[in-house]
Amino acid sequence: MEYISTRGGGEPKSFEDVILTGLAPDGGLYVPRSLPQFSHEEIASWSGLSYQQLALKVITPFVDGAISESDLEQLIEKSYVDFRHQDIAPLVKTGDNEWILELFHGPTLAFKDFALQFLGNLLDYTLGKRQQKVVIMGATSGDTGSAAIEGCRRCENIDIFILHPYQRVSDVQRRQMTTVQADNIHNIALHGNFDDCQNMVKASFSDQSFLPDSRQLVAVNSINWARIMAQIVYYFWASLRLGGPDQAVSFSVPTGNFGDIFAGYLAHKMGLPIKQLVIATNQNDILHRCISDNDHTTRPLEQSLAPSMDIMISSNFERLLFDLYNHDGAVIAQLMNDAKAGSMQLSNSALDRARELFTSFRCDDSGMIDLIRTTNRDIDYLLDPHTAIGLAAARACREDTNTPMVTLATAHPAKFPEAVKKAGYPRDPDLPNHMADLFDRKEHFTVLDNVQSEVQHFIAENILS
Ligand SMILES: *Cc1c(COP(=O)(O)O)cnc(C)c1O
């Protein structure tokens, strides 16, 4: 299977090359040239499979022979052993044909573990085969960093450097990153904000001359194709538990960079009957404005109590646009330039096509807090703030009650105690057992100034040979 850039430039690449890089040279994101298709009968035949067996079915065509089936099976098996629920992604009923898909039973209590546990194993395997080593560099405002570190802690061919804004991530999130002890893991606390961290990473990707000749940088944010790919699986999983594929299912997804919900779009394109995909945003609502009003105008970012959704331009939206514009890379390059300059307008036909499947809703902090409070009171279920926004959107956008509506629960409430306590919960929600001693563990991180040469020097010095 060939992978091409959303901006139409450069040569097509293989699966292995795509997962071992970041953006395409023309600034686009890699996507498969065409998608695998599964028939109704084939999907129906998967209803008795375990999560891992299902993952093998969904992922195999994307890998397209680059990894043998038995090796791929082992990589997948290994990637879900640290999940603490036997169903991996259990469904919980919260109302009339209304469900929550709990994606927070992995090692760092957010859905990012689904892809990053797998990506770590996949990269390490591929690098071992090629006798190559790489450096992962990433910026995080919280969840990505810890999931990437957990995913790479046992990798022999990867050094990982994660930048977080000094004193600007929550204690739980910071400790999840800084208490992991391994020689190949490096936490950098940068004097600055999340944008400063991200700009530092971007600048380093565009000029990698600070690295030894034999090393290259690999991205682990959701521009990495393998992350999207691994997330397609749980849409099939949830559907099969709720009567799919005979029964269409709808999903509501707390959205930031549009990676998670884009995986749902791909599941639909691959043959899974999905009725609605609801884009749930917080007060940083650019995607909601775009879908509802064709208004993709950037506004100053507001800090919310659902920080993993505090994003201005959602990188994976570009992958959707590429599809809506029939793979016209030149148009996408122009649109993304417009977006970066402040405002992008979609064509009526692109917008109409998007609206066939997508609806959107905005839920701000106060709406979110209300829903955490009432859900805990009425059904004794504690939502994390991101999931609460998803559930609010699910209820607001739902077209009918015959179609099961599934909200993706993207994080465990214990990761976001501030929002939960604002909703009247009397104390910090309990961390699961395996993390109960998080606040007793020793932290390791290095504080650096927001100076490119200093950060790059630190990285070059600390790469293991
Ligand atoms: C990353 C994250 C999101 C946003 O997911 P995207 O794929 O970026 O849209 C939502 N909720 C939580 C808890 C997250 O960690």
Side-chain angles (χ1 to χ4, degrees):
M1 181 172 292
E2 283 188 335
Y3 290 80
I4 54 176
S5 164
T6 49
R7 304 209 184 161
E11 294 292 309
K13 286 202 173 201
S14 68
F15 176 75
E16 291 190 350
D17 286 337
V18 162
I19 62 168
L20 282 169
T21 184
L23 291 173
D26 62 0
L29 280 72
Y30 284 109
V31 286
R33 192 190 288 283
S34 62
L35 285 173
Q37 299 293 319
F38 300 126
S39 69
H40 195 92
E41 295 68 42
E42 190 173 11
I43 297 170
S45 75
W46 296 343
S47 64
L49 298 185
S50 68
Y51 188 90
Q52 292 86 334
Q53 290 166 330
L54 180 66
L56 185 63
K57 297 285 184 198
V58 172
I59 291 172
T60 295
F62 288 105
V63 173
D64 195 25
I67 303 171
S68 74
E69 178 148 340
S70 63
D71 285 359
L72 186 58
E73 192 176 356
Q74 280 180 25
L75 290 178
I76 291 171
E77 201 55 50
K78 206 158 99 177
S79 300
Y80 298 97
V81 289
D82 286 337
F83 281 62
R84 262 110 187 147
H85 196 288
Q86 60 178 17
D87 284 349
I88 309 293
L91 279 161
V92 174
K93 194 161 194 259
T94 51
D96 180 16
N97 221 357
E98 182 195 86
W99 307 80
I100 295 242
L101 181 65
E102 292 186 343
L103 299 176
F104 52 71
H105 295 283
T108 71
L109 313 181
F111 80 92
K112 290 182 173 75
D113 289 324
F114 276 81
L116 282 162
Q117 286 288 305
F118 178 60
L119 181 60
N121 290 323
L122 181 65
L123 290 175
D124 209 38
Y125 168 89
T126 305
L127 292 165
K129 213 167 61 175
R130 293 182 167 200
Q131 301 203 316
Q132 192 186 341
K133 291 183 189 252
V134 296
V135 176
I136 286 175
M137 185 177 179
T140 191
S141 53
D143 296 339
T144 304
S146 57
I149 285 171
E150 280 291 338
C152 294
R153 65 191 298 176
R154 296 186 198 95
C155 294
E156 292 175 356
N157 304 305
I158 298 172
D159 289 289
I160 178 165
F161 295 83
I162 296 293
L163 284 68
H164 70 264
Y166 182 50
Q167 293 182 337
R168 293 195 196 200
V169 299
S170 76
D171 289 346
V172 175
Q173 289 184 314
R174 189 192 65 252
R175 286 182 160 273
Q176 283 189 314
M177 298 191 279
T178 59
T179 58
V180 179
Q181 206 5 349
D183 291 344
N184 66 332
I185 291 171
H186 308 276
N187 281 284
I188 298 173
L190 197 74
H191 279 291
N193 59 26
F194 173 63
D195 281 337
D196 297 324
C197 295
Q198 199 148 34
N199 289 335
M200 182 70 71
V201 171
K202 277 188 189 158
S204 303
F205 268 82
S206 63
D207 179 1
Q208 303 187 13
S209 56
F210 66 99
L211 292 174
D213 283 345
S214 58
R215 304 290 165 103
Q216 70 191 45
L217 292 181
V218 172
V220 288
N221 54 2
S222 54
I223 66 170
N224 192 309
W225 170 256
R227 279 193 54 187
I228 307 289
M229 178 182 77
Q231 291 168 194
I232 299 170
V233 177
Y234 45 70
Y235 289 89
F236 281 89
W237 172 257
S239 160
L240 286 163
R241 311 259 96 50
L242 295 171
D246 297 329
Q247 165 71 58
V249 175
S250 294
F251 292 92
S252 175
V253 187
T255 295
N257 259 325
F258 206 75
D260 208 5
I261 195 165
F262 184 66
Y265 174 78
L266 294 176
H268 172 70
K269 297 271 291 186
M270 289 158 68
L272 185 69
I274 293 181
K275 180 147 188 229
Q276 288 183 272
L277 280 176
V278 180
I279 302 168
T281 77
N282 62 20
Q283 49 263 55
N284 297 297
D285 61 352
I286 190 166
L287 286 173
H288 169 57
R289 286 185 280 118
C290 180
I291 295 296
S292 58
D293 265 346
N294 200 6
D295 170 21
H296 194 285
T297 311
T298 52
R299 293 190 189 153
L301 203 66
E302 286 181 39
Q303 263 197 359
S304 80
L305 290 169
S308 300
M309 296 161 70
D310 289 346
I311 280 162
M312 189 39 66
I313 296 188
S314 303
S315 46
N316 285 290
F317 199 50
E318 175 166 351
R319 285 183 160 127
L320 175 67
L321 294 177
F322 185 64
D323 218 50
L324 297 177
Y325 281 89
N326 303 313
H327 290 198
D328 187 338
V331 174
I332 300 307
Q334 182 59 51
L335 281 171
M336 296 326 292
N337 270 338
D338 294 350
K340 208 170 156 189
S343 190
M344 140 175 102
Q345 276 246 305
L346 306 191
S347 69
N348 286 334
S349 64
L351 200 56
D352 286 346
R353 282 179 69 183
R355 286 174 178 163
E356 284 169 20
L357 189 62
F358 290 100
T359 46
S360 64
F361 186 72
R362 168 196 204 270
C363 173
D364 63 14
D365 279 350
S366 72
M368 175 269 286
I369 287 169
D370 277 350
L371 193 57
I372 295 179
R373 178 185 293 117
T374 53
T375 308
N376 191 39
R377 181 193 66 202
D378 297 343
I379 61 167
D380 195 20
Y381 187 87
L382 194 57
L383 296 161
D384 108 285
H386 307 82
T387 309
I389 290 169
L391 185 58
R395 289 180 179 169
C397 295
R398 191 167 189 189
E399 281 165 8
D400 68 276
T401 49
N402 298 326
T403 310
M405 172 58 89
V406 178
T407 298
L408 272 50
T410 50
H412 190 287
K415 281 195 105 161
F416 300 96
E418 192 190 347
V420 173
K421 283 193 287 193
K422 283 214 160 101
Y425 197 73
R427 54 189 159 85
D428 282 7
D430 292 335
L431 284 159
N433 282 339
H434 72 277
M435 239 180 244
D437 67 342
L438 185 67
F439 282 83
D440 304 326
R441 296 180 197 167
K442 189 167 160 38
E443 292 193 76
H444 308 266
F445 62 95
T446 306
V447 184
L448 293 177
D449 283 331
N450 182 15
V451 177
Q452 195 172 321
S453 56
E454 274 186 39
V455 173
Q456 294 186 342
H457 180 76
F458 178 82
I459 293 177
E461 288 283 291
N462 284 283
I463 293 173
L464 299 175
S465 52

